[in-house]
Amino acid sequence: MSEEPPIGNGATSASPDQNSPTKFENRQPRFWIIIASLALLAFVSALDAMIITTALPTITKDIGGSAQYVWIANSFVVASTVLQPLVGQLADILGRKIPTVISVAFFIIGSGIGGGAHNVGMFIAGRSIQGVGAGGIYVLIDIICCDLVPLRERGKYLGIVNSTAAVAAAIGPVLGGALGRANWRWIFWLNIPVCGVPFVTLLLFMKMKSANRQNQGWSRLSRVDYIGNIIFIPSLIALMFGLVTGGIEFPWSSWRIILPIVIGVLGWIAFHVWEHFTAYPSVPSRLFSNRTSAAAYVLTFFASVLATALGYFLPIYFQAVLRATVFYSGVYYLPLAIGTLVSAVIGGVLLSQFGAYRPLHAGAFAFGIIGFGLLTILRGNSHAVAWVFFQLIVSVGVGVPVSTCLPAIMAGLSESDVASATAAFSFIKTFGYIWGVTIPSILFNAIINNNLPLISSSSLRDQLQNGGAYSFASQVSGLAGSVDEAVWSEVEQVYVRSLNAIWWFGLGISAVSFLAVGIERGLELSTELNTEFGLDGDKMETSMTGRPNEKGE
């Protein structure tokens, strides 16, 4: 694979004064308005992925659809994933503003439909429309950040914008539980005014330049990779159908699971073969043609797997082992959420200051190894200081990659690949979230089933078997007083053993990621902002030296 990045982006020959930190003086107010709007969108879209988890029982009881529980829970995730490569290509063809406004509009419309749903079909439709909007938001947030600042500065701003998602992950289940008890419809209706703020501000202030001004208009849609998307979208839906329904609706050995997974994998391979030869690929093969970008994509996937495994199963420790309520489990989760946010910002600042991503990646996954290792010693009598401290350690492992993986990906690519590379990054990150639930869930349920003989109560065994242990955890705080303490000690032991499998899995992934950092090369991060999609009307595109760029704009 090629190792030489294109001139003007990655390992360029920078002048000595380009090695100093960026000052970015004379930033216009609309720059900060756009950054704030993107951060709010990142928060809301991430919140909506998590907020529904604790409210789902109330929602299904109200509108019915217990038989469609899997799709009520996962329609948002599937819809937000499958269109991301297409969104990246549309951002290049139509510019950044139109796809962004449309994505936010889809999210608002889907929220209104979901909140007003009176049957399961309408609810799933609303969640799917929401997911389409959220998928576009995920991609475009990162693309626009890349358009606003040069490569070396991106980690800082990506950290600021995307770390708000960690806060959303922390408060989502708590807020969902509270609103679920009051009126679950406000989980969705509140999105409308909240998203309305960035919708209006982006309409007014996000005036971005567009490439190829001589060929503007909807006629440029002829450059969309229609065949590639026709192959990719159904293939991914088939694959995700198998992943989200396996072990829940059908056993993993069922042909109803194996067949869609096989079809999805074969279709995905066919998609990449097509992308290699088509004139206008949505995911060009060159994105993976150098080892640094390819390795950074792998690290992105692993970091997403780790973050999701923590987000789904650490609250199970708090609820089932410490016997905390859903509300307090959210409170106990705050060290991880805040630590992830702070780590993402610090990682971005350090990347901007020193321009070296490999030490940051190695350090992050080293912290991940230590943190997941420490989680394996948690028990029901563990002191709060221990699990708070352990969360802070492991948060570095999932926080730093948030702001440092995309700049590493772009270090070996041309600036013209920002949209497609960012769309692939966002897709791989989102796809990692799915695997971060699927694999740990398989491990968790299997070990629960294998250890059920340790529980003397037959009624509790029945409630915990075959995937029931996850939802049962939220009931522990209310039931513990009515069951003999010796029996609860047995239940606790089973949960601890099952959770330890998740933590060992996380430790293994962290170790593999640490080794994968060695594949990356330490390419120099560009200090010049060379983009055709920056803020329109800027009189000066400042570099790290504060000088005008070569275009003199």
Side-chain angles (χ1 to χ4, degrees), residues 56 88 96 126 175 222 388 445 472:
L56 270 178
R96 313 317 198 205
L175 186 59
S222 61
V388 167
N445 292 331
F472 181 81

Side-chain angles (χ1 to χ4, degrees), residues 74-134:
N74 291 289
S75 55
F76 179 94
V77 177
V78 173
S80 67
T81 305
V82 297
L83 295 178
Q84 290 184 9
L86 175 61
V87 172
Q89 190 173 43
L90 289 175
D92 263 346
I93 294 172
L94 301 177
R96 313 317 198 205
K97 185 172 184 175
I98 292 175
T100 303
V101 171
I102 291 175
S103 295
V104 178
F106 266 98
F107 191 83
I108 292 173
I109 292 169
S111 298
I113 295 173
H118 294 284
N119 58 69
V120 66
M122 185 176 177
F123 184 80
I124 291 175
R127 286 291 283 171
S128 298
I129 294 171
Q130 262 191 312
V132 171

Side-chain angles (χ1 to χ4, degrees), residues 46 60 77 117 169 189 202 215 237 253 297 304 369 376 412 432-433 481 504 517-518 541:
T60 53
V77 177
W189 286 340
L202 292 176
N215 189 22
I237 290 174
S253 58
Y297 276 125
S304 297
I369 293 171
T376 64
Y433 295 155
W504 281 110
V517 174
E541 300 279 356

Side-chain angles (χ1 to χ4, degrees), residues 165-462:
V167 178
I171 70 172
V174 178
L175 186 59
L179 291 175
R181 287 192 295 270
N183 185 346
W184 65 265
R185 298 183 185 278
W186 282 103
I187 291 175
F188 305 98
W189 286 340
L190 282 175
N191 290 332
I192 298 174
V194 174
C195 287
V197 174
F199 182 80
V200 172
T201 55
L202 292 176
L203 269 177
L204 295 176
F205 296 103
M206 197 178 80
K207 298 177 181 178
M208 309 291 287
K209 299 173 185 174
S210 295
N212 302 320
R213 292 179 183 271
Q214 70 277 12
N215 189 22
Q216 291 295 308
W218 295 99
S219 63
R220 298 180 66 192
L221 289 175
S222 61
R223 293 171 50 195
V224 172
D225 181 18
Y226 292 104
I227 295 178
N229 283 284
I230 289 172
I231 298 172
F232 178 78
I233 293 173
S235 299
L236 194 64
I237 290 174
L239 177 59
M240 295 180 71
F241 173 86
L243 293 178
V244 302
T245 60
I248 299 176
E249 287 194 353
F250 308 104
W252 286 101
S253 58
S254 170
W255 67 269
R256 293 179 176 87
I257 300 301
I258 296 174
L259 182 61
I261 289 178
V262 171
I263 291 174
V265 170
L266 292 177
W268 200 346
I269 294 172
F271 165 73
H272 282 290
V273 172
W274 169 260
E275 295 297 279
H276 187 70
F277 295 103
T278 186
Y280 299 111
S282 52
V283 183
S285 299
R286 63 179 177 272
L287 300 183
F288 314 98
S289 63
N290 70 86
R291 77 188 204 193
T292 299
S293 298
Y297 276 125
V298 171
L299 296 180
T300 298
F301 176 80
F302 284 153
S304 297
V305 170
L306 295 175
T308 309
L310 285 167
Y312 269 80
F313 289 96
L314 199 55
I316 298 301
Y317 167 74
F318 297 139
Q319 295 171 21
V321 180
L322 298 185
R323 307 178 195 178
T325 64
V326 172
F327 173 81
Y328 278 106
S329 72
V331 174
Y332 294 169
Y333 185 83
L334 284 176
L336 180 65
I338 296 173
T340 301
L341 186 154
V342 173
S343 297
V345 174
I346 291 176
V349 171
L350 291 175
L351 183 64
S352 173
Q353 184 73 22
F354 300 106
Y357 47 84
R358 293 181 74 223
L360 291 172
H361 291 167
F365 291 112
F367 270 90
I369 293 171
I370 297 169
F372 277 104
L374 291 172
L375 291 178
T376 64
I377 68 176
L378 290 178
R379 299 294 184 269
N381 59 357
S382 296
H383 197 279
V385 173
W387 49 258
V388 167
F389 185 62
F390 297 170
Q391 285 185 83
L392 292 175
I393 293 174
V394 79
S395 69
V396 179
V398 296
V400 171
V402 168
S403 57
T404 59
C405 279
L406 183 55
I409 290 168
M410 289 304 306
L413 299 173
S414 167
E415 197 70 23
S416 62
D417 288 325
V418 161
S420 57
T422 303
F425 164 79
S426 183
F427 166 77
I428 289 171
K429 181 170 62 174
T430 308
F431 197 57
Y433 295 155
I434 297 168
W435 284 99
V437 175
T438 301
I439 297 178
S441 294
I442 293 172
L443 292 172
F444 181 77
N445 292 331
I447 295 174
I448 286 283
N449 287 340
N450 290 339
N451 286 273
L452 285 178
L454 296 175
I455 301 175
S456 55
S457 170
S458 60
S459 62
L460 286 175
R461 289 199 301 268
D462 291 340

